[in-house]
Amino acid sequence: MQKILNNFGVIMQANLREHIEKIIPVTDEEFDFISSHFTSRKFKKHQFIIQEGDAVQYSYFVISGLLKLVYTDASAKQHIVSFAMEDWWESDFYAFYTKTKATMSLECLEDTEVLCCSLEDYKKLCDGLQKMERFFLEKATFGFLGSQRRILSWLTSNSKERYEQLLKQYPMLMQRVPKSLIASYLGVSRETLSRLSS
Amino acid sequence: MQKILNNFGVIMQANLREHIEKIIPVTDEEFDFISSHFTSRKFKKHQFIIQEGDAVQYSYFVISGLLKLVYTDASAKQHIVSFAMEDWWESDFYAFYTKTKATMSLECLEDTEVLCCSLEDYKKLCDGLQKMERFFLEKATFGFLGSQRRILSWLTSNSKERYEQLLKQYPMLMQRVPKSLIASYLGVSRETLSRLSS
DNA sequence: TCTTAGATGTGACATACATCACACGAAATT
DNA sequence: AATTTCGTGTGATGTATGTCACATCTAAGA
């Protein structure tokens, strides 16, 4: 692990800064302060960033690549809780915030670069710069709204409609992940999804 | 509508203060500042607090009573997005935050008392008192985690299991709302729910 | 008090979906 | 290049659940 002040880091920082400034503009000094709370890491396809049962040290900001957040049930069946691609935050957030063991795993579907932020650094960011607390509030709020939207999609739509909604919302996702995982995310079997497409 | 500085208001304030202090302690002065951003309102059973298509002026903190947040689909079928009881926040949050028209309605299942906070007052609270921004961040975070938990419950459990989970999590809810609404919340027909119980 | 509307249970039937099984081509691994 | 694994499609079959229908009981309203 390394601080993000190297050549790659510059690009990563630009990415993070752009992301933050979609919500709140920050000065160079402020952004220096912000980026000092992140470390950079790279993972290969198939690597686990979080494994079920481990402590969850970080919240992750995805610079490039693609992740799946997976819950494995009692009968060893895997369920995709969410995907995370460029500019998304991901973690087992419950375990992260409550300092408990991970109940989900976070695995790379592609080679992936992330910025890592520990809980202490997250708190220091909120305490040290009110703008960041504002930023995280906005992220959490829209994260909540996104989940509510997904629940509503469950309540109101059948499998085919939910598939089409997902296709429309994230067309690129279909090119990047196998359909069996899309099926798992939608909560249907891969066979059913296959039949829906035809 | 009235400021919450009357007799009823004192009780309501106590309720709100207790709720806030579960997360962050506040001084009397701070709480005076906080409560000046809320107004109090009472509604009767069957009254609509938010109607689909209306502007959503407020976010609501429930002092007493019970609400349902409902989405009505194209075929006029109603879906319960959530219930809200004492100490819960509720609104069509998407419409509230984005100042768009309500796509959902919020209706009283019992006589209900709420504290109302407008978007401007919400922002003033966040700007004027960092503790409140922290408070709302925590609320939003755990709101998100709650939704994610509900999605996971959908992905991993069948109707009977989801019903039992709900029963365990909110036993009082069963005494207060008709089973047809529970069914709608769970995403099954009332007939199916009826057969599950037996 | 009488009447109506709401809540709940249950049977009959249709259907969406899961599961198991197998096939086949593409991609990854050796 | 050979072999294995992965991704995908498709048939057969069982099951969970939706929908329609009707009965009963309770609560609310006139």
Side-chain angles (χ1 to χ4, degrees), chain B residues 13-178:
Chain B
Q13 282 185 44
N15 212 332
L16 179 63
R17 181 161 187 173
E18 217 175 287
H19 178 69
I20 290 170
E21 294 206 322
K22 277 175 198 158
I23 293 170
I24 321 160
V26 289
T27 66
D28 289 350
E29 293 73 35
E30 284 169 342
F31 187 69
D32 284 346
F33 173 76
I34 292 167
S35 62
S36 73
H37 292 78
F38 288 86
T39 51
S40 160
R41 263 191 97 175
K42 294 185 182 193
F43 293 89
K44 289 276 174 197
K45 187 172 176 174
H46 295 132
Q47 272 194 294
F48 284 80
I49 298 182
I50 298 172
Q51 274 189 284
E52 190 194 325
D54 287 356
V56 178
Q57 282 191 280
Y58 301 103
S59 183
Y60 299 92
F61 176 72
V62 181
I63 296 291
S64 66
L66 184 58
L67 306 173
K68 63 171 178 179
L69 184 66
V70 174
Y71 177 82
T72 307
D73 68 22
S75 55
K77 195 171 172 181
Q78 297 205 337
H79 306 271
I80 307 278
V81 178
S82 70
F83 296 105
M85 32 198 227
E86 290 80 10
D87 273 23
W88 289 27
W89 293 82
E90 196 60 276
S91 191
D92 180 339
F93 285 112
Y94 182 82
F96 174 73
Y97 288 120
T98 62
K99 292 185 176 175
T100 53
K101 300 292 178 188
T103 59
M104 302 190 273
S105 63
L106 185 59
E107 190 183 344
C108 298
L109 296 173
E110 302 173 358
D111 292 357
T112 298
E113 299 172 39
V114 293
L115 298 182
C116 313
C117 185
S118 71
L119 190 57
E120 297 91 83
D121 279 323
Y122 169 79
K123 285 177 178 166
K124 280 181 196 158
L125 270 175
C126 291
D127 290 339
L129 188 57
Q130 183 155 18
K131 280 182 183 177
M132 279 309 282
E133 190 148 46
R134 177 67 47 92
F135 171 78
F136 286 125
L137 175 56
E138 185 128 345
K139 281 283 141 190
T141 299
F142 282 88
F144 168 72
L145 292 173
S147 297
Q148 202 173 66
R149 181 180 171 177
R150 187 164 163 207
I151 290 170
L152 199 54
S153 165
W154 249 116
L155 291 174
T156 59
S157 309
N158 62 31
S159 302
K160 181 155 198 175
E161 290 163 343
R162 293 207 311 283
Y163 176 61
E164 281 158 0
Q165 285 163 22
L166 186 64
L167 234 153
K168 194 172 174 184
Q169 204 177 354
Y170 305 108
M172 57 288 281
L173 202 63
M174 306 299 151
Q175 271 85 59
R176 291 171 72 179
V177 310

Side-chain angles (χ1 to χ4, degrees), chain A residues 121-175:
Chain A
D121 280 324
Y122 169 80
K123 285 178 177 165
K124 281 182 196 158
L125 270 175
C126 290
D127 290 338
L129 188 57
Q130 182 154 18
K131 280 182 183 178
M132 279 310 280
E133 190 149 46
R134 176 68 45 92
F135 171 78
F136 285 124
L137 174 56
E138 184 128 347
K139 281 282 141 192
T141 300
F142 282 87
F144 167 73
L145 292 172
S147 297
Q148 201 172 66
R149 182 179 170 178
R150 187 164 163 207
I151 290 169
L152 199 54
S153 164
W154 249 117
L155 291 174
T156 59
S157 309
N158 62 31
S159 303
K160 181 156 197 174
E161 289 163 344
R162 293 207 311 284
Y163 175 60
E164 281 158 0
Q165 286 163 21
L166 186 64
L167 234 154
K168 194 172 175 185
Q169 203 177 355
Y170 305 107
M172 57 288 283
L173 202 63
M174 306 299 151
Q175 270 85 58

